[in-house]
Amino acid sequence: MSRITQLLKHVEQLNPQLAADLTREYTALSGRRAFGLNFERHTPETVELPGRTVRVNDKVRFLPARGDAPSTVDDRLWRVRSIALEGATKTAMLVASIEDSAPAPTDVELEVVTRNIDDLVVVAEFRDPIYPGLVSTGRVERGGDKPFHTVINAENYHALQTLQYTHVGRVDVIYIDPPYNTGAKDWKYNNDYVDGEDIYRHSKWLAFIERRLNVAKRLLNPDNSVLIVTIDEKEYLRLGLLLEQVFPEARITMVTSSINGAGSTRSGTFNRSAEYLYFVQFGSSAPSPLPLGSEWNPVVTRNKNDIRWNLLMRSGTQPFRTTHPNLFYPVNVVDTPQGPVFHSVGEPYYGDGWQTQPAPDGAVAVWPIRQDGREGRWQISPAALRELIAQGHARLGKWNAERTTPYYLKLGERKKVIEGTFKVLGRRADGSVITDSSDYEARFVPTDVWRISSHDAGNSGSRLLAALLPDRKFPYPKALYAVEDALRFFVADNPDATVVDFFAGSGTTAHAVMRLNRQDGGRRQSISITNNEVSADEQKRLRADHLRPGDQEWERWGICDYITKPRLEAAILGRTPAGEPIKGDYKFVDEFPMLDGFDENLEVFTLTYESPRMVSHNRAFSAIAPLLWLRAGARGPRIDAEEEDFAIAETYGVLFDVDSSRAFKEQLVAAPSARVAYIVTDDDRSFQMVCAGLPEHIEPVRLYESYLTNFTINVGGESR
């Protein structure tokens, strides 16, 4: 609707009466309420790109004069018509930008101005195609041949579009902790902080999240993957509806998790202790049963460390003879000095008079009679019980006045005996197995209410981050062990999982993946996306020092450079950014000194915006090179420079000259880990010729046609 309002303003300039008629109809339509989640889409969303080189045809805004607040400058969009060099100064001729979908008035002359390029910032609209590249800004190698964890400093919408070229359908888990929309200026929409006074606060948040979910959806493996989203009470209802609409094919569960045992005070209502996690599961995705302590659920874990004998008597639903007369039969038992033993199992008895039926000589018939005297029934048939008795999977309780209680092992418990989870030490007098459970750990899936001490956001979030970065602060970091546990349910059985977090913040998700790898020797990799936004309070200080976005001294205080990157480097190396050994120990599940670090690899990138013409002419290979490496698995060395003929790395190769295709294919096939062949050619026949000789496990990718097509088509995420 806000988009319609913008268009009506354009129409009003040309035809006021037509604008009035359209406004009347729009008002009538907007008063109707449709079923489901309805909100303003607020298109198009834009993002400023400080530091990006200004080019002809770019959209730009004016930067405020040094020392001034953003509100003091014209925030209109302008398009760069030409660039000129005047002495040592570059200037741009700008024309007032007209919305692409609104025709420019033919009788109105557009405003034209000239500005110093240093006073301009490039603006990207999300409906415009981008052609991304990556430039490395730091690397830590301590993990041998393990895949690299990657951090991408970028606007997350554009970074997600970038991953559509490298990871479509290949992501196992997406874990995100989006802004909670508290009204305290904790996030931006179109370069402006959203506060509690904004009447579009909730619809802006929904539009913001929906666009990113629509793009992220294509990354998830449709056969087996999960999206995990954390949220608090301010948006959890709207988020739940949004998830239902964006992912109608998924199974969605909401978990309540306590993150502050003491609770935070809220005026006029109950103190806040919990937040919520939505688990959006696709395909065969399911949480794995794990060895969990009694803290997770004392009721479930009670008696779980030994084999469980189930009552043969039916309880719960339909427990009476009337519904299952075929399960009303005698179990004949003999009392011996060693205890009761099975004699035989009778046949189902139909009709009255069961009390007078004789038992075999020396035996007592035990019938399924409930404590209140009503006729019950057994759980299984006579034939099934006879088989279990023969296997030692049925037993009898203590003898009590000519009566005993029969028990049996259900299928899951029988499997533990058969597969050796519980070792059989011998048999009782009644023939039932005696098992050893000394080495057994109970595994189960918990309930949807978590009250776990390790998930406390203070101890496992803020205080843990302070140990890694003693002189730096970040508001409300996630509890490391809370993220670790949420991931573990879905990656415990997948040591090669790929985990993406596109609201990475301080980098907790990547840190948690490293912890999980250490626990089982896994080779999971994380992709963390965060921008380099400077906090609102910090911006005031920097502007007072006459700094602006894009200045080196400004950017060093951004989230990625000041928190995310140094946090993950410190976690791997076991040392603070100042080089001091990190004090303290990791707790829970895997306890060890933080100074030990992790045997992992990490590389940090900044997203760049390339010219499609330069890419197509093979003049931007260094910027595209990291994308090729990521698509091939982010393992081993990277091909960063163009060669005359071809280059081979651990997991991929690039053929620059198709005349060298024979030698290229021979060497690529000989590389045991090769999975992708990039072929640089404009000729379709040449590409097909190279593909013909490649084995099935190597994916052929044509450069730069695949890259340009991907980003021309996939401007996705907009809801029209």
Side-chain angles (χ1 to χ4, degrees):
M1 294 299 185
S2 61
R3 175 70 173 148
I4 294 176
T5 303
Q6 293 174 359
L7 295 174
L8 285 172
K9 290 180 179 179
H10 288 295
V11 174
E12 189 174 16
Q13 296 176 5
L14 301 173
N15 190 327
Q17 183 56 52
L18 177 59
D21 293 341
L22 290 172
T23 299
R24 184 173 59 255
E25 295 301 320
Y26 156 69
T27 302
L29 287 171
S30 62
R32 301 178 184 176
R33 298 185 63 84
F35 180 78
L37 185 64
N38 296 281
F39 58 95
E40 304 283 356
R41 258 51 186 212
H42 299 281
T43 55
E45 196 173 336
T46 64
V47 61
E48 292 182 355
L49 308 174
R52 153 81 150 76
T53 302
V54 177
R55 303 180 184 129
V56 173
N57 288 325
D58 279 346
K59 295 175 184 177
V60 297
R61 283 197 184 106
F62 300 155
L63 283 169
R66 294 190 179 276
D68 289 350
S71 58
T72 63
V73 72
D74 185 348
D75 66 352
R76 286 182 296 170
L77 283 180
W78 301 78
R79 189 174 290 279
V80 179
R81 177 174 287 178
S82 62
I83 297 175
L85 182 63
E86 299 179 3
T89 303
K90 274 189 177 181
T91 60
M93 179 180 292
L94 311 173
V95 60
S97 181
I98 294 295
E99 293 284 354
D100 293 344
S101 56
T106 56
D107 57 344
V108 176
E109 186 171 338
L110 299 178
E111 184 178 357
V112 178
V113 298
T114 301
R115 282 289 188 278
N116 188 321
I117 277 185
D118 292 340
D119 293 327
L120 302 175
V121 60
V122 177
V123 175
E125 290 187 285
F126 285 4
R127 63 186 177 184
D128 297 336
I130 63 160
Y131 299 91
L134 296 174
V135 57
S136 177
T137 60
R139 172 183 273 222
V140 178
E141 294 185 72
R142 200 184 175 195
D145 64 349
K146 283 186 175 182
F148 278 71
H149 301 277
T150 55
V151 175
I152 301 176
N153 172 10
E155 207 301 317
N156 59 9
Y157 181 85
H158 287 159
L160 286 170
Q161 286 185 309
T162 302
L163 294 185
Q164 288 192 64
Y165 182 65
T166 62
H167 283 81
V168 167
R170 290 171 45 198
V171 173
D172 301 291
V173 181
I174 293 179
Y175 181 105
I176 56 172
D177 180 39
Y180 285 3
N181 203 18
T182 63
K185 295 186 176 182
D186 60 338
W187 66 290
K188 279 185 172 183
Y189 189 89
N190 277 354
N191 304 297
D192 292 326
Y193 283 106
V194 178
D195 60 30
E197 302 301 316
D198 191 329
I199 62 173
Y200 287 110
R201 169 181 153 201
H202 296 295
S203 64
K204 283 182 178 178
W205 186 88
L206 285 166
F208 174 85
I209 299 297
E210 183 189 43
R211 289 192 190 102
R212 287 150 180 82
L213 291 179
N214 280 331
V215 182
K217 183 176 184 177
R218 298 192 64 230
L219 304 181
L220 289 162
N221 176 2
D223 298 326
N224 184 356
S225 62
V226 62
L227 164 69
I228 306 172
V229 190
T230 63
I231 201 67
D232 72 1
E233 76 282 0
K234 297 173 189 65
E235 295 290 0
Y236 83 101
L237 292 172
R238 297 177 186 87
L239 175 62
L241 285 171
L242 181 63
L243 293 172
E244 292 278 2
Q245 291 179 189
V246 175
F247 305 106
E249 74 281 19
R251 304 181 309 284
I252 302 176
T253 302
M254 189 182 79
V255 166
T256 301
S257 176
S258 174
I259 61 168
N260 182 353
S264 57
T265 303
R266 294 186 295 180
S267 177
T269 188
F270 301 102
N271 293 348
R272 176 177 177 268
S273 171
E275 67 177 15
Y276 309 100
L277 293 87
Y278 280 104
F279 290 86
V280 185
Q281 297 169 233
F282 303 90
S284 62
S285 171
S288 299
L290 299 176
L292 303 170
S294 61
E295 189 178 23
W296 280 88
N297 192 326
V299 175
V300 172
T301 54
R302 188 185 307 139
N303 301 324
K304 273 289 186 179
N305 288 326
D306 201 349
I307 198 165
R308 180 168 181 171
W309 293 92
N310 230 64
L311 285 170
L312 185 63
M313 175 80 78
R314 175 71 177 185
S315 59
T317 59
Q318 298 183 336
F320 302 113
R321 174 187 182 184
T322 51
T323 60
H324 293 75
N326 60 315
L327 298 183
F328 186 79
Y329 57 86
V331 177
N332 301 311
V333 178
V334 177
D335 183 26
T336 72
Q338 292 77 32
V341 299
F342 291 103
H343 177 281
S344 58
V345 176
E347 294 298 325
Y349 187 86
Y350 303 95
D352 298 327
W354 59 267
Q355 300 93 332
T356 61
Q357 294 302 304
D361 290 343
V364 174
V366 178
W367 294 83
I369 305 303
R370 301 174 64 81
Q371 289 185 349
D372 59 7
R374 289 189 288 178
E375 296 172 351
R377 53 110 170 173
W378 302 124
Q379 299 259 33
I380 57 178
S381 69
L385 180 57
R386 292 185 191 107
E387 184 176 349
L388 294 183
I389 292 171
Q391 295 171 348
H393 296 167
R395 63 173 292 190
L396 297 168
K398 293 182 180 179
W399 187 259
N400 183 13
E402 297 190 351
R403 184 170 179 83
T404 185
T405 302
Y407 298 88
Y408 77 110
L409 295 179
K410 288 189 173 182
L411 179 61
E413 299 298 285
R414 297 201 299 274
K415 285 182 64 177
K416 293 174 187 175
V417 175
I418 294 169
E419 295 173 358
T421 303
F422 289 112
K423 297 177 181 177
V424 177
L425 302 180
R427 297 200 177 211
R428 299 178 183 85
D430 60 9
S432 61
V433 293
I434 301 171
T435 57
D436 175 17
S437 61
S438 58
D439 296 330
Y440 176 67
E441 278 188 297
R443 293 172 176 265
F444 66 97
V445 175
T447 69
D448 58 2
V449 177
W450 298 355
R451 191 176 181 87
I452 314 300
S453 60
S454 62
H455 295 185
D456 180 84
N459 291 324
S460 303
S462 300
R463 294 182 185 86
L464 187 144
L465 185 60
L468 296 161
L469 308 175
D471 59 341
R472 309 185 188 195
K473 293 186 180 298
F474 180 81
Y476 311 114
K478 302 297 292 183
L480 174 62
Y481 310 114
V483 178
E484 179 183 322
D485 284 342
L487 295 176
R488 182 182 287 108
F489 286 112
F490 293 92
V491 302
D493 298 327
N494 184 0
D496 298 304
T498 298
V499 180
V500 170
D501 182 350
F502 56 89
F503 286 101
S506 69
T508 306
T509 300
H511 198 164
V513 174
M514 293 178 193
R515 284 249 317 162
L516 290 168
N517 281 345
R518 187 183 189 277
Q519 291 159 25
D520 63 4
R523 298 169 61 86
R524 304 172 186 89
Q525 60 183 138
S526 64
I527 301 173
S528 303
I529 300 168
T530 185
N531 59 27
N532 207 38
E533 183 64 41
V534 176
S535 69
D537 291 339
E538 194 66 41
Q539 286 189 29
K540 293 179 182 178
R541 180 184 70 80
L542 295 174
R543 291 189 190 281
D545 291 340
H546 293 81
L547 295 170
R548 296 189 302 196
D551 293 343
Q552 185 175 355
E553 184 59 24
W554 177 291
E555 297 299 322
R556 69 178 288 264
W557 295 96
I559 294 172
C560 185
D561 289 347
Y562 191 63
I563 299 293
T564 319
K565 177 181 176 182
R567 183 241 178 100
L568 296 179
E569 290 176 345
I572 293 174
L573 298 174
R575 294 185 173 274
T576 69
E580 297 294 325
I582 298 174
K583 298 176 182 178
D585 298 333
Y586 290 108
K587 304 293 184 182
F588 311 103
V589 182
D590 187 18
E591 300 188 8
F592 62 96
M594 291 188 187
L595 60 84
D596 286 358
F598 295 95
D599 294 331
E600 299 286 343
N601 300 315
L602 169 74
E603 188 155 11
V604 183
F605 298 96
T606 293
L607 187 75
T608 62
Y609 295 80
E610 302 301 316
S611 161
R613 183 175 61 84
M614 297 290 283
V615 172
S616 63
H617 291 168
N618 200 21
R619 295 172 63 186
F621 182 80
S622 62
I624 307 302
L627 298 181
L628 309 184
W629 176 72
L630 279 172
R631 182 165 176 160
R635 282 176 48 195
R638 184 167 61 245
I639 302 168
D640 282 325
E642 183 181 358
E643 302 288 341
E644 288 187 6
D645 43 14
F646 63 86
I648 305 291
E650 180 178 341
T651 58
Y652 70 105
V654 183
L655 176 63
F656 296 99
D657 182 356
V658 292
D659 290 337
S660 302
S661 60
R662 175 174 295 182
F664 170 74
K665 286 187 285 187
E666 289 176 353
Q667 292 191 30
L668 189 64
V669 171
S673 301
R675 52 190 286 185
V676 184
Y678 297 103
I679 302 158
V680 181
T681 180
D682 290 330
D683 182 62
D684 186 63
R685 294 180 63 184
S686 297
F687 176 70
Q688 295 299 329
M689 177 196 69
V690 178
C691 293
L694 292 173
E696 290 185 2
H697 71 277
I698 295 180
E699 175 195 11
V701 178
R702 182 174 167 185
L703 294 180
Y704 292 91
E705 187 267 344
S706 67
Y707 171 92
L708 294 169
T709 300
N710 182 84
F711 294 109
T712 301
I713 295 174
N714 292 324
V715 297
E718 291 292 355
S719 298
R720 301 285 182 182

